[in-house]
Amino acid sequence: MNYLNEDIDSLNEKLAQGTLSADKLAQDTVANIKKTDDKLNAWITVQEDAKPAENLDFAKNKLAGIPIAIKDNIITKDVKTTAASHILDNYIPVYDATVIERLKKAQATFVGKTNMDEFAMGSSTEHSYFGATHNPWNLDKVPGGSSGGSAAAVASGQVVAALGSDTGGSIRQPSAFNGIFGIKPTYGRVSRWGLIAFASSLDEIGVMSKRAKTSAQVLNVIAGADDHDSTLSTREVPDFTKYIGKDVKGMRVAVVKEYMDAVDGEVHDIIQQQIDTLKDAGAIINEVSLPLTKYAVPDYYIIASSEASSNLQRFDGIRYGYRSKDAKNLLDVYVKSRSEGFGEEVQRRILLGSFALSAGSYDRFFRQASKVRTLICQDFDQIFAENDVIVGPTTTTPAFGIGSEISDPIKMYNNDILTISANLAGIPSASVPAGLVEGMPVGFQIMAKRFDEGSIFQVADFIERSNQFYEKTPAGMED
Ligand SMILES: NC(=O)C[C@H](N)C(=O)O
């Protein structure tokens, strides 16, 4: 089964009418993943015995019997969960993340866990203990990261929707690189209980799919208050699908000067075309400035790495996963297990974070970075006082070549320049396909004020219907 021309509605209809059986759907999905994944390496674990839930209720549950891919940093009971790390490569969780519990309640089918950068640290899915994922549009290019496996799985039609996580752009950048929709909801909208923590004040679980409506349907299921996560808002979750199919007349759309200046050539033209489409449809376009954009990347890498150095302390060779075989004493267990179990990029972030938090550096780095973060939040608040959404490019370029940035961490970090500020401010943000440049997809980013994912779905769906990018699919991925 290939999902290139399907969405949740079309599948739900066939399942409800009985022209498609959920058992067969699960089996065919696994068979197709196994057939196509030699080229992509989008999966770390494929559940060969995947089975739908019992007593499926297609009228009540839109997701009943529909296979959803799960990024491998989201904990799944009895199914190996590695965060793409050697240190967790034998970890079988004993409980489900809240998002998984909710998908189970909605009777979704689970077919496996997708590849990613180790502990979500990276922008290319090359930093995986299980090898790099390839971009279905061009196998020599990266799929972006860190949710590159989820993005490639959706873009290649292996699944209709996938969960990802986004700390600094990890849903939106791979969605842009793969020509799909991906949303990072507001911080506090989706429970992080059972998400393997990278940077707890920034991490957010979100959804990736070809069409915005599909993600709205999945977000409807996973969003909302959870006693296990005290950072979650208790406000009511709207039905996000009610924002689909609307026009954009009168919407106030801010275009950030610094974001547009970051792109040139055909990428700039394609982004400008989407803005013109909104304008022609009656949206009010305002040029705005986010002058602190140039500080966003260093700010994020201090805050995120500091939080990571603390969160990753629990992987000590004793409580979880891999333990070095050569350890001769307790200190050896810690040092050798962590040195052998963590990849280079994860070690780099732990060192950077430990340094930024150390006695002599805390004031100069972490405290300073926290102040900059507050200023970035204030800049967004000012813009949203007069605008409904902010739009612009998701990335400065389309997908780059495999191997081309892996040895240059700063270059890799700069991939996040246009996405990171939304995480620092905790606002929702999505990427929707804008067009192709030299055969590779380019993404259009839409941000909104906290808890206004609705406006994002409204604009994204309008853009989708205008440019009809969803008609395009990567070659060679059909059944
Ligand atoms: N996790 C993310 O959102 C990706 C970001 N590129 C990072 O490496 O931290």
Side-chain angles (χ1 to χ4, degrees), residues 120-123 145-146 166-170 198 300-301 349 416:
M121 297 175 189
S123 299
S146 63
D166 190 311
T167 307
S170 274
F198 159 15
Y300 167 90
Y301 277 90
R349 306 252 186 141
D416 301 322

Side-chain angles (χ1 to χ4, degrees), residues 71 117 119-124 145-147 165-173 198 203 300-301 304 345 349 412-413 415-416 419-420 423:
K71 186 176 177 179
D117 288 294
F119 285 102
M121 297 175 189
S123 299
S124 66
S146 63
S147 313
S165 69
D166 190 311
T167 307
S170 274
I171 286 176
R172 290 159 289 156
Q173 184 249 22
F198 159 15
D203 296 340
Y300 167 90
Y301 277 90
E345 181 58 28
R349 306 252 186 141
M412 193 68 92
Y413 297 170
N415 269 292
D416 301 322
T419 48
I420 259 176
N423 300 78

